[in-house]
Amino acid sequence: MFVNAGGGIVKEEANLSIRVQPDSFFQGGDALRTEETIIEGGNIPSLYQSARVGNFCYLFNNLSPGDYFVDLHFAEIININGPWGMRVFDVFMQEEKVLSKLDIYSIVGANKALQLADVRVSVGEEGTIIIRFEGVNGNPMVSGLCIKREARLPASQVKQGYVICNNCDAEIEISSAQNKYLRMMATVKYEKKIEELKTQCQLKTDECHEAWMSLTAASEQLEKVRMVLDNKFLQNLYLDQAMEKQAADLRDICSKYERDKRLWTAVLDNLEKKVMAMKKEHCQLSHEVHQCSDSIPELNKMVFAVQAMVAQCDDLKLKFSEEQAKRKMLYNQIQEAKGNIRVFCRCRPLRKEEISAGYPMVTDFDAAKDGELGIFAGGSTKKIFKFDRVYTPKDDQVDVFADASPMVVSVLDGYNVCIFAYGQTGTGKTFTMEGSEQNRGVNYRTLKQLFKIAEERKDTFTYSISVSVLEVYNEQIRDLLATSPTSKKLEIRQASEGVHHVPGIVEARVENIKEVWSVLQAGSNARAVGSNNVNEHSSRSHCMLCIMVSTKNLMNGECTKSKLWLVDLAGSERLAKTEVQGDRLKEAQNINRSLSALGDVISALASKSCHIPFRNSKLTHLLQDSLGGDSKTLMFVQISPSEQDLGETLSSLNFATRVRGVELGPARKQIDMGELQKLKMMLDKAKHELRSKEEALKKLEENLHNSEGRAKGKDQLCRSQQEKVSELEGRLASKTQFCRQLEKQLLELADGMKEKEEICFNLQQKVKELENKLKVQEHTKPMTLQHKVKELENILKDRTQQFEHHSAMLQQQVNELENKLTTEGRNQGFQMLQQKIKELEGQLKLQEQQESVLPVCCAEKLGVTPNQTKSRIRVQVLQEMDPQSMRNLNSMNQTINQESVLLKGTDSLHKIRRRRELQSTGTENNILLSTPVLNKRILSTESKNARPIDQSRALARLTRSTKSAATSHRILSSNKLYKDQVQGNKESNKSKIWLR
Ligand code: ADP
Ligand code: MG
């Protein structure tokens, strides 16, 4: 019987001989199933996938008595992850413990089959088998149970009452007694054996128990160790992770280090290069520093000079500002002298219509230059009006502005100025003030002049110029530069003592004349223009241009603010004539009122009244700070020449006369002209001084610049000179070497001279010997000797010619070298050398003189022509002058020596010579003939090389030789004399040798 504990029928075992039944025969417990795969489950692995668990037992009934074998099948399918000791239980069969403390997991692990096979169980008469499971730790669990009955021998094989012999297998029949006995014996034997086995079993059980216990302890220990190991493993794991992290970090650091290393090496290389460059720079700089320190004394001098100049400049500045103040004062005085209110009258030309209509002119400009204007006021009566200036219709805008421009200077000097044009509509007020683009008026020209003077004075002053354009219309102020019309009424406020302004008005800052023109245009465009029947374009408002100038004196920091008003007044024509009503009437009334207010203010100012009615009109109120006091006023009274406008003209002129008259007044009119003249003179002088001082200042500045430039130039010069010095040092070194070579050559020459002197001495002796011999042989072979002498003479001539040719060439070389030396050699060493050369020349000259005497004597004795002697002298001079031609000269010497040898050989020479002497003409002719030849040669040499010494020397020699040829005895005596002289002066070895 096979029971699947906790499960159903197992189908796989259909092929098997055993049928596995579903779970039954149990008491208590719970069924359990798992889908896990069971390892080593044999033929029926699904058996282990179910189990009965808990507190339970199996009871099998109705079994026939006998022995049975029981198999138990286990598998740990709950605690598959362990650990050991979770499930420990005992198994009892028929209340006999067959398994003690079974822990499946500890034996086979989880999901693995464990079988307890063939446990023999005896079933008695009661016919039951009880299999009980008892938990020691946790619940017991079983997957399958199998009960097999012990197999019996088949009946045929078992024979009652027979025993089978162990030896021969023969069946021996036994009796029942024996059988009983045998049985008893067997029983005893078996009982004994059972006892033994029991004791053995007990021992083994004890052993097993101990072993089990020790195993449990060991497993516990093992568990602990495993736990420790697990911990260690975990720790290791952590450590590994940390190590890996650290290794990664290390790698990072390594790579960073490598990168940094590369970077630093590059930086180091770069730095090294830089250091090298800096070292070079340092060297250069230190060099420059040295140079600078060398030039410091000079620089110091310059610094002192500059400081002196600065002091002078400061002084001049002070003086300049003093002069400026003086000038300003004087200028103002002049302006005041001219009158603080000036009235100019300008008459417009007749219009075309007026000309065509035939209106006559009522104006007379005969005395216009004196400021007088005549008006023919009906019939022949002529009224004379006097003004500061009268402009005829021919006078143009330039003329008009020329008189107004001094006012501009006053504005820049800090005075308020007011220029306005008064007159009937159509008389040219706007023309005078504004003008046209081609023919600009006072406004534009004034501003232009302002900018011009500001530019001229920019070194001493700074100016800031701003412009406002206003219109007074119907006693209301309008800002013509305002971009958007404002309802706010513009009012005049007093800012401070004597300064009035209109808050909220546009003040356009102008930097140049272009901006000015655009501002003026904007103002003029915005101007209110009305029309009436007098003139279509008549202006019915006062147009006021205000120029505000802020000045700062750069010398003393003084600041001033001044105003220049340029007012184009509204037409002054009388009310009745305009024939207007309503609004136009109001306009005209306002205009008339404001113009009379202007007249009143001026008159009050003149009479020094305590109350000046500035506030009677907006016009006078606005001009309050620019009328009276220090301020200047200029009025252009504009008139028409037409008879048609005579009434208005007279009215305007009367108004203007009143203005001018009251201002000048009787007291002013009596201004002492002498005083004025004096003031003018003073002004001129001041101006002159100012100009000269400005010039001096400019010169000083120029000097300063120049000296700075010079300092720089000197620096450069110094550098270039240093370079030149080093170059010259190089040249000097080479020249010194060259000089040394020359000295050496000279020494060699001196040696050569000594040798020659010795040869000469020998020759002299030989000549004497020969003379003696000749005397002896005089009478023996005269004819043959004569012949030989002739031959010798010819040879000598040839050689002389050759020699002279050589000498000319050498002379040329000498001269070239001399030239080189004189041009190149400017150093002392070279000059010294030249001096030495000259000294040597002098010495040689002396020797030559001696030599020239001796050879002539010899020649005389030998019958040799003076030419030959001269050539020898020349050779010596050449040797002296041209050390480079030493080799040539040596060869010459050899020739001469050869000649002397030849001469030695001629025994009858003296005899022949004597005969020739007797003939007298022959010798003398020879000498005379040779003179021009030599002369020529010398001259040619001189012309080539310009050596005057040679010529004189040669001439001296020539004369001497000629004389010697003519009178030998005299020369001999003079030679003696000379010898004595030289012996007295002998200093050099050469002369010593020569004299010997
Ligand atoms: P006002 O402003 O006094 O009403 P305008 O300046 O408008 O007078 O002058 C009226 C006209 O007369 C203009 O066409 C102007 O060109 C001309 N005019 C005025 N004065 C002169 C002058 N001196 N030379 C030439 N034309 C003039
Ligand atoms: Mg006008």
Side-chain angles (χ1 to χ4, degrees), residues 346-349 351 393 395 423-432 535 537-539 568 638:
R346 190 178 191 189
C347 181
R348 71 160 166 80
R351 279 199 291 265
D395 290 326
Q424 186 192 356
T425 300
T427 48
K429 296 187 294 297
T430 310
F431 182 79
T432 300
N535 190 328
H537 302 289
S538 170
S539 314
D568 179 5
Q638 300 284 147

Side-chain angles (χ1 to χ4, degrees), residues 358-376:
Y359 291 120
M361 276 178 71
V362 291
T363 46
D364 171 29
F365 299 107
D366 288 346
K369 276 185 186 165
D370 301 328
E372 280 185 8
L373 174 74
I375 299 286
F376 299 105

Side-chain angles (χ1 to χ4, degrees), residues 882-924:
D882 190 4
Q884 283 183 334
S885 58
M886 276 294 282
R887 214 186 293 164
N888 296 343
L889 291 169
N890 284 340
S891 65
M892 288 292 172
N893 282 341
Q894 278 168 14
T895 0
I896 292 158
N897 289 342
Q898 276 168 11
E899 276 172 30
S900 48
V901 171
L902 276 167
L903 284 166
K904 257 191 252 175
T906 53
D907 291 338
S908 60
L909 196 68
H910 186 67
K911 213 178 172 181
I912 296 157
R913 211 165 169 277
R914 269 202 175 172
R915 233 179 264 161
R916 286 173 79 187
E917 260 181 76
L918 286 170
Q919 284 167 2
S920 77
T921 45
T923 339
E924 275 205 10

